[in-house]
Amino acid sequence: MSKDKHIDPHRLDSAIKEERVLIIEEDECIGWLRFSYFWESIPFIDMLYILEPFRNKKYGTALIDFFEENMKLHRFSELMTSTASEEYAQHVYHKLGFKTVGGFFPPKEAYEIILTKTIM
């Protein structure tokens, strides 16, 4: 909870209890993937975050791969996420098979890219 400042602590607590937060560790927290459901039916990656010392070491890819396999086991056929156009993450998602399907301009922020991936 101390590291994810992008969500209200009460909502994060609910996400943890609902098992919508995956944490990757090796003796310490390396990063996490937090998700919800778009239209209550499509798994949506809300946040993928790898702590600075562990970046560029494939931890993010491993976390997404694990998430994808888990969602397949739960019989989902599609994943979604979004990322700001100024963030490097869009390139990682594209390498992992996500396709850009649209976007929008949040007030006073960079263009937000919407991405999807078919997994079944």
Side-chain angles (χ1 to χ4, degrees), residues 46-60:
D46 294 315
M47 171 168 277
L48 172 65
Y49 192 84
I50 304 299
L51 299 172
E52 187 68 40
F54 304 101
R55 292 183 185 166
N56 299 311
K57 296 180 181 175
K58 304 288 183 192
Y59 288 113

Side-chain angles (χ1 to χ4, degrees), residues 11-43:
R11 293 186 65 213
L12 180 56
D13 187 51
S14 293
I16 291 168
K17 288 176 182 170
E18 294 169 8
E19 299 180 353
R20 293 187 295 106
V21 179
L22 305 175
I23 298 171
I24 188 166
E25 298 177 302
E26 277 187 10
D27 299 324
E28 62 182 307
C29 179
I30 291 171
W32 62 90
L33 183 152
R34 181 169 35 82
F35 70 98
S36 58
Y37 295 95
F38 186 78
W39 291 335
E40 297 297 323
S41 62
I42 302 169

Side-chain angles (χ1 to χ4, degrees), residues 76-109:
F76 289 103
S77 60
E78 186 176 14
L79 302 177
M80 292 183 73
T81 192
S82 71
T83 186
S85 59
E86 61 189 20
E87 293 177 343
Y88 180 77
Q90 65 181 298
H91 304 293
V92 173
Y93 287 120
H94 285 138
K95 286 180 186 177
L96 295 173
F98 284 79
K99 305 289 185 213
T100 299
V101 294
F104 62 97
F105 285 100
K108 300 179 184 175
E109 292 189 31

